[in-house]
Amino acid sequence: MKAELEFLQNHSLTSVLRRELEALILSGEFAPGERLNENSLATRFSVSRGPIREVCRALAEKGLLELVPNRGVFMRRIGEDQAAELYDVRAGLFASAARFLATKVTAAQISALESLLDRMEEAVRMHSLDIYYPLNLEFHDSILRFAGNGRLHKAYSELVKELHLFRERALQQGGGLEVSNVEHRRIVKALRDGDEAAAMEAAFLHVLSGKARMTLPAGTGHSTGEATGARDIV
C-alpha cells in the first residue's frame, strides 16, 4: 500500500510539473536553443531533480525540448523549413476536422463559432492582438472539439504547441487580423451550409494562408494593427 501511495503521489507531482513547465515553454519563458537548468527548475518548483528530469524527457518526446547527451536539456529550435512542414500537416488535420463537422454541426455550435467571430471582429477594430489571439486559438480548438474525433484533436493540438516554438519572426503579416477573420467566416459559412467540400477547402486554404504569411520578410504587411510579436494567427 505504501508503494502504491508513493507511486500515486509521484505520478500526480509529475503531471502537475509537466503542465507547469509546458505552460512556461509555450509562453516564451525560454529562448529557442536556451539550456534549461535542472537545479534552477527544481528550486523554482520546490522539488528534487528527479521529477524535473522525468518531465523534461516527456516534453522532449513531445517535441518541445531537446535532450543533448552529456550537455543537458535545451529549448527546441524550429527553423522555417520545419515550421513549413508543420503547417502542411496542420492544414490537412484542420481540413479533415472541418469536413467531419460539416456533416453534423448543430445550431448551438454555429452560434458559438459566430460569437467568437464577432468578438474577434471587435478585437480587429481595437487593433488588439492580445485580445484577438486567445479568441483565435479558441475558435480553432472549438472546431476540432465539435468534430468529435479525439485522436484528431490531440494530434492537432500537439502541432499547435510545436508551432509556438517558432519565434524567429512575426507571423502576423500579409493582411493580418482582418484577412484571418474573413477566412474564418468562410469556414463557418460552409459549416452552416453543411457543405463538406467547401468547409474542407476553406479550412485547408486558411492554414496555408498562414504558412504564406510566415514566409514573407519580417515587417511585411499592410494591415492596421499588425504587431511584431511572433504569433500564429491562422
Side-chain angles (χ1 to χ4, degrees):
M1 177 65 72
K2 181 179 179 180
E4 292 176 352
L5 287 175
E6 289 179 350
F7 172 80
L8 291 174
Q9 290 171 346
N10 290 333
H11 182 72
S12 177
L13 173 62
T14 301
S15 299
V16 171
L17 286 174
R18 181 171 174 173
R19 288 196 298 270
E20 292 297 320
L21 184 54
E22 182 176 291
L24 287 177
I25 290 170
L26 297 179
S27 71
E29 177 81 7
F30 310 105
E34 179 179 347
R35 183 177 183 275
L36 275 62
N37 187 298
E38 290 184 359
N39 287 328
S40 296
L41 289 174
T43 300
R44 180 170 186 166
F45 293 115
S46 300
V47 297
S48 66
R49 289 179 59 186
I52 294 294
R53 191 174 297 115
E54 181 179 347
V55 166
C56 286
R57 282 198 298 266
L59 294 178
E61 291 176 358
K62 292 178 65 174
L64 299 181
L65 296 176
E66 183 177 4
L67 300 181
V68 181
N70 302 318
R71 291 189 58 200
V73 183
F74 296 81
M75 275 291 298
R76 183 181 171 200
R77 189 189 300 273
I78 294 182
E80 188 172 299
D81 289 344
Q82 291 175 305
E85 291 178 355
L86 290 171
Y87 267 101
D88 289 340
V89 178
R90 183 182 177 186
L93 295 178
F94 191 52
S96 294
R99 181 174 66 84
F100 293 153
L101 182 56
T103 66
K104 59 180 181 179
V105 69
T106 66
Q109 290 169 341
I110 289 294
S111 178
L113 292 173
E114 289 180 335
S115 176
L116 286 170
L117 291 178
D118 291 341
R119 292 163 65 191
M120 282 189 277
E121 288 290 351
E122 180 60 26
V124 171
R125 286 191 289 271
M126 296 170 62
H127 302 159
S128 177
L129 179 61
D130 288 337
I131 295 176
Y132 187 96
Y133 185 61
L135 294 172
N136 173 68
L137 292 179
E138 185 179 352
F139 174 82
H140 287 83
D141 189 69
S142 294
I143 288 178
L144 269 294
R145 285 190 295 105
F146 294 160
N149 187 311
R151 293 293 294 272
L152 180 61
H153 189 187
K154 180 178 179 181
Y156 181 86
S157 297
E158 295 303 319
L159 282 175
V160 169
K161 289 176 182 178
E162 283 193 71
L163 277 169
H164 272 289
L165 303 182
F166 185 68
R167 302 176 186 277
E168 297 302 318
R169 88 169 39 141
L171 297 184
Q172 186 185 335
Q173 312 217 37
L177 307 183
E178 293 91 338
V179 170
S180 180
N181 223 32
V182 168
E183 294 166 356
H184 288 156
R185 290 198 179 277
R186 290 195 190 107
I187 296 170
V188 173
K189 180 182 184 304
L191 292 173
R192 188 192 306 111
D193 293 342
D195 190 331
E196 298 176 51
M200 187 173 186
E201 181 180 24
F204 187 80
L205 293 177
H206 174 54
V207 178
L208 290 189
S209 177
K211 177 185 174 182
R213 286 192 290 271
M214 176 195 73
T215 62
L216 291 173
T220 301
H222 52 268
S223 169
T224 58
E226 292 191 8
T228 57
R231 290 180 175 177
D232 176 0
I233 62 164
V234 300

